[in-house]
């Protein structure tokens, strides 16, 4: 398997494809079923945001290592050239009362790291990492 | 990690016990284990994962379809897990806010502390009890020499933090006015402008302002939409309502407030209060002002402070010790 795969997000079906790919990769790395479900859920939220707010974009799924290959993990990078997020801090910090408990705020809880770079009118890059324990 | 492994092993054992013998004690033990798991921040999807693993170990020939069904459930439960996390997060936030509120309330109490003046010729008493942590009522006395005593009784429409902040403005407005000899109508007009300018449109303040001339016992008052004070004339054994039609503060910047006078004689007294004293939501038909008059007369031999306290106790008892609003009463006796 390649170290890095990309899924273009154009239609809602592509969200499913990204989930599938992420799950397969997570499984190959050695994540258990519960973590596989978490990783797929996180990918799903990122891909859905691309689909909803930027129309098109891509999801990159990567194997990562640290401490001289002794620790393995997965990184997911969501990239789009959409409208950008106005207040990144706020989006991560709180979920609106009416929210169904998902969204970026929830993704933060499913993974070990989340980084958002976003510029109004330019696009958004979200990077998440989860490490195998 | 090791603890989790241990708990997993325990889970499997308890599950097996239950499968072999469906008795209540195994269920009880199972629930105790779950409590421990929750303490370790184990989420619903984790529990199903643990359950699935245990089942697969107990039944080596478990059909694959059953394992898939568990995976399906794990997938769906991820969102319940997020809800649980969200809930824990909100509980923490709530605790943080409670601590902040406590501090804010303490600061407010310091800022808005009322000292009751003790002019030689008058007996003054006061009780002010907030419904919640922050008091939406405020009493301010001005007494700079032996000529005049000024008293403001205020109620902010609205509760909690916004009301408390608004009240601080009223206090500083009154502090700036400074002199006890100011005309009540002037005091209200100045405060009205300050509040109209600086406070949110949804915030209204009612204020009763009185000035007692200690040389001739003339009490002059004006009111901005406030509960009328009571004036008891001992000679006639009659109460008069000290009414004065004036808009709440902060509505119309140029509003003119009108002031009125009354002359007090020996044993007369004044009862100033907020609507928390007279509004009994649970007893709508009740003539609360009439009742307060009766109480005031029956306690009129006591000191002003004792009168306030006894009236408070009575009204509190009447409403089953659960008042609907901030409660403030001031009594001034000649
Ligand atoms: N890729 C993106 N491009 C532009 N704006 C985005 C993007 N992702 C998120 N946002 C903005 O950030 C907000 C928060 O996103 P988040 O996914 O946390 O919640 P949501 O999408 O509103 O709700 P949910 O995901 O629960 O259905 C969105 O409402 C949207 O305005
Ligand atoms: Mg979203």
């Amino acid at each position: 398997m390649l170290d890095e795969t990309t899924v273009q997000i154009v239609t809602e079906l592509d969200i499913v494809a990204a989930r599938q790919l992420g799950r397969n990769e997570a499984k190959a790395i050695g994540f258990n079923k519960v973590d596989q479900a978490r990783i797929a859920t996180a990918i799903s939220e990122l891909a859905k945001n691309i689909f909803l707010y930027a129309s098109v974009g891509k999801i990159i799924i990567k194997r990562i290592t640290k401490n001289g290959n002794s620790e393995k993990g997965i990184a997911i990078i969501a990239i789009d050239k959409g409208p950008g997020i106005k207040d990144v801090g706020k989006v991560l910090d709180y979920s609106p009362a009416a929210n169904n408990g998902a969204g970026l705020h929830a993704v933060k809880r499913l993974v070990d790291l989340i980084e958002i770079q976003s510029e109004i009118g330019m696009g958004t890059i979200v990077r998440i990492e989860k490490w195998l324990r | 990690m090791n603890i989790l492994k241990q708990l997993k092993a325990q889970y499997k054992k308890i599950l097996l016990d239950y499968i072999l013998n469906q008795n209540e004690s195994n269920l009880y033990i199972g629930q105790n284990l779950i409590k421990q798991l929750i303490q370790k921040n184990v989420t619903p999807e984790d529990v199903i994962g643990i359950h699935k693993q245990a089942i697969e170990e107990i039944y080596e020939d478990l059909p694959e379809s059953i394992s898939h069904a568990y995976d399906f459930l794990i997938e769906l439960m991820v969102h319940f897990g997020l809800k649980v996390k969200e809930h824990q997060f909100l509980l923490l936030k709530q605790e943080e806010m409670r601590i902040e509120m406590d501090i804010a309330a303490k600061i407010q109490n310091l800022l808005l502390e009322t000292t009751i003046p003790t002019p030689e010729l008058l007996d003054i008493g006061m009780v002010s009890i907030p419904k919640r942590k922050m008091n939406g009522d405020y009493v301010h006395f001005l007494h700079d020499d032996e000529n005049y005593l000024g008293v403001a009784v205020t109620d902010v429409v609205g509760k909690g933090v916004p009301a408390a902040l608004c009240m601080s403005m009223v206090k500083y407005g009154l502090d700036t006015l400074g002199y006890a000899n100011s005309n009540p109508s002037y005091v209200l007009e100045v405060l009205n402008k300050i509040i109209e300018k600086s406070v949110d449109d949804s915030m209204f303040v009612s204020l009763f302002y009185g000035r007692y001339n200690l040389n001739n016992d003339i009490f002059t008052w004006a009111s901005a939409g406030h509960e009328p004070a009571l004036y008891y004339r001992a000679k006639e054994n009659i109460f008069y309502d000290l009414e004065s039609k004036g808009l709440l503060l902060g509505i119309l910047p140029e509003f003119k407030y009108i002031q009125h006078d009354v002359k007090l004689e020996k044993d007369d007294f004044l009862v100033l209060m907020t609507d928390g004293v007279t509004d009994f939501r649970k007893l709508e038909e009740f003539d609360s002002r009439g009742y307060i008059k009766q109480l005031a007369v029956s306690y009129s031999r006591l000191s002003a402070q004792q009168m306030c306290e006894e009236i408070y106790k009575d009204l509190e008892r009447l409403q089953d010790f659960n008042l609907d609003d901030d409660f403030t009463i001031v009594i001034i006796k000649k």
Side-chain angles (χ1 to χ4, degrees):
Chain A
M1 191 150 311
L2 283 171
D3 266 5
E4 181 177 316
T5 29
T6 303
V7 184
Q8 301 291 334
I9 305 295
V10 182
T11 70
E12 194 160 14
L13 274 182
D14 298 326
I15 299 174
V16 177
R19 290 175 59 118
Q20 179 69 68
L21 212 93
R23 190 188 306 275
N24 291 348
E25 197 62 38
K27 190 176 174 187
I29 293 167
F31 284 102
N32 67 24
K33 276 280 187 227
V34 177
D35 277 339
Q36 288 171 33
R38 289 180 177 135
I39 290 162
T41 305
I43 293 173
S44 198
E45 292 298 323
L46 299 186
K48 204 175 78 203
N49 281 355
I50 291 179
F51 177 69
L52 284 180
Y53 308 117
S55 301
V56 292
K58 60 183 174 183
I59 299 275
I60 301 169
I61 293 158
K62 250 182 165 174
R63 290 187 182 200
I64 49 176
T65 56
K66 65 180 175 186
N67 295 337
N69 286 350
S70 69
E71 285 185 57
K72 289 187 284 182
I74 190 167
I76 292 107
I77 304 136
I79 303 176
D80 67 64
K81 296 193 168 65
I85 300 174
K86 218 185 296 151
D87 190 344
V88 171
K90 206 167 144 192
V91 155
L92 280 180
D93 209 48
Y94 101 141
S95 75
N99 196 294
N100 53 14
L104 293 168
H105 178 68
V107 169
K108 189 174 78 176
R109 304 219 167 101
L110 293 171
V111 299
D112 297 317
L113 173 128
I114 180 165
E115 280 171 358
I116 304 179
Q117 285 169 269
S118 191
E119 214 172 307
I120 293 296
M122 300 296 285
T124 303
I125 302 176
V126 184
R127 181 192 168 91
I128 58 179
E129 286 179 8
K130 191 168 182 72
W131 294 95
L132 195 60
R133 247 171 281 272
Chain B
M1 200 64 205
N2 251 336
I3 297 174
L4 212 61
K5 241 188 201 145
Q6 230 176 305
L7 290 172
K8 275 183 189 171
Q10 250 175 294
Y11 185 94
K12 183 180 160 190
K13 185 182 171 301
I14 296 165
L15 177 63
L16 191 57
D17 286 349
Y18 182 74
I19 289 169
L20 296 175
N21 180 2
Q22 295 87 51
N23 68 23
E24 199 62 35
S25 102
N26 287 330
L27 290 175
Y28 173 70
I29 294 167
Q31 286 200 328
N32 285 343
L33 179 68
I34 276 292
K35 281 190 207 159
Q36 272 180 284
L37 288 171
I38 290 171
Q39 265 177 4
K40 298 270 175 302
N41 282 325
V42 169
T43 58
E45 70 267 27
D46 285 325
V47 174
I48 297 162
I50 292 169
H51 184 81
K52 179 196 169 201
Q53 201 188 335
I55 288 287
E56 284 173 344
E57 284 170 20
I58 295 168
Y59 299 102
E60 278 162 13
D61 53 353
L62 191 76
E64 246 181 64
S65 55
I66 299 291
S67 292
H68 294 329
Y70 277 123
D71 291 342
F72 185 79
L73 187 56
I74 287 171
E75 193 75 19
L76 302 196
M77 293 312 269
V78 167
H79 282 282
F80 274 99
L82 286 170
K83 271 285 172 222
V84 172
K85 287 254 166 69
E86 179 83 16
H87 175 75
Q88 288 165 340
F89 171 78
L90 290 177
L91 284 179
L92 274 178
K93 274 265 139 120
Q94 190 189 31
E95 179 61 11
E96 273 172 35
M97 278 167 70
R98 193 189 62 74
I99 291 168
E100 270 180 33
M101 276 291 280
D102 279 351
I103 296 169
K106 268 187 203 135
I107 294 172
Q108 192 213 15
N109 287 338
L110 280 178
L111 279 176
L112 300 181
E113 203 170 12
T114 304
T115 14
I116 303 172
T118 49
E120 250 174 63
L121 303 166
L122 290 179
D123 175 19
I124 303 173
M126 175 185 121
V127 163
S128 184
I129 311 279
K131 160 84 180 162
R132 294 202 235 150
K133 270 177 199 157
M134 296 212 179
N135 202 337
D137 291 352
Y138 172 57
V139 178
H140 189 94
F141 288 103
L142 284 165
H143 179 234
D144 37 21
D145 51 31
E146 277 299 322
N147 294 317
Y148 289 100
L149 171 90
V151 56
V153 177
T154 336
D155 182 358
V156 175
V157 179
K159 295 255 127 32
V161 180
L165 292 174
C166 183
M167 196 58 88
S168 304
M169 283 213 12
V170 174
K171 178 203 157 68
Y172 287 108
L174 286 161
D175 277 343
T176 331
L177 280 162
Y179 304 103
N181 65 359
S182 304
N183 270 312
S185 57
Y186 172 74
V187 172
L188 290 190
E189 279 157 25
V190 171
L191 289 173
N192 185 38
K193 278 184 195 133
I194 296 179
I195 289 170
E196 205 276 331
K197 257 196 225 116
S198 31
V199 179
D200 189 84
D201 283 348
S202 64
M203 193 72 77
F204 301 110
V205 180
S206 81
L207 194 148
F208 183 98
Y209 191 86
R211 180 190 64 193
Y212 196 106
N213 183 331
L214 297 159
N215 295 319
N216 61 12
D217 294 310
I218 288 183
F219 182 72
T220 308
W221 80 91
S223 168
H226 198 82
E227 178 78 28
L230 295 171
Y231 160 49
Y232 177 72
R233 185 171 285 168
K235 202 163 64 186
E236 302 170 21
N237 188 24
I238 279 181
F239 277 95
Y240 293 88
D241 287 335
L242 299 189
E243 284 186 271
S244 178
K245 300 222 179 325
L247 280 182
L248 290 165
L249 298 178
I251 295 182
L252 261 188
E254 295 304 325
F255 191 82
K256 291 281 165 236
Y257 291 91
I258 298 165
Q259 65 184 41
H260 314 265
D261 293 328
V262 58
K263 187 174 165 61
L264 274 79
E265 288 170 24
K266 189 175 179 308
D267 296 330
D268 289 358
F269 62 83
L270 299 158
V271 182
L272 282 54
M273 54 206 156
T274 55
D275 58 10
V277 178
T278 52
D279 267 6
F280 303 167
R281 239 163 271 167
K282 286 163 216 132
L283 303 163
E284 267 173 37
E285 299 293 303
F286 189 69
D287 172 19
S288 55
R289 287 178 68 88
Y291 184 68
I292 291 160
K293 287 174 192 172
Q294 278 178 30
L295 286 179
V297 172
S298 69
Y299 295 132
S300 61
R301 286 170 187 279
L302 302 175
S303 74
Q305 185 59 36
Q306 285 168 325
M307 282 176 77
C308 292
E309 283 165 15
E310 291 304 321
I311 291 172
Y312 174 68
K313 276 190 224 158
D314 256 84
L315 294 180
E316 195 191 25
R317 204 178 312 127
L318 192 70
Q319 296 174 74
D320 300 328
F321 300 94
N322 184 16
L323 300 184
D324 292 321
D325 200 355
D326 303 329
F327 180 107
T328 297
I329 187 165
V330 174
I331 292 182
I332 300 174
K333 282 177 84 174
K334 172 152 167 64

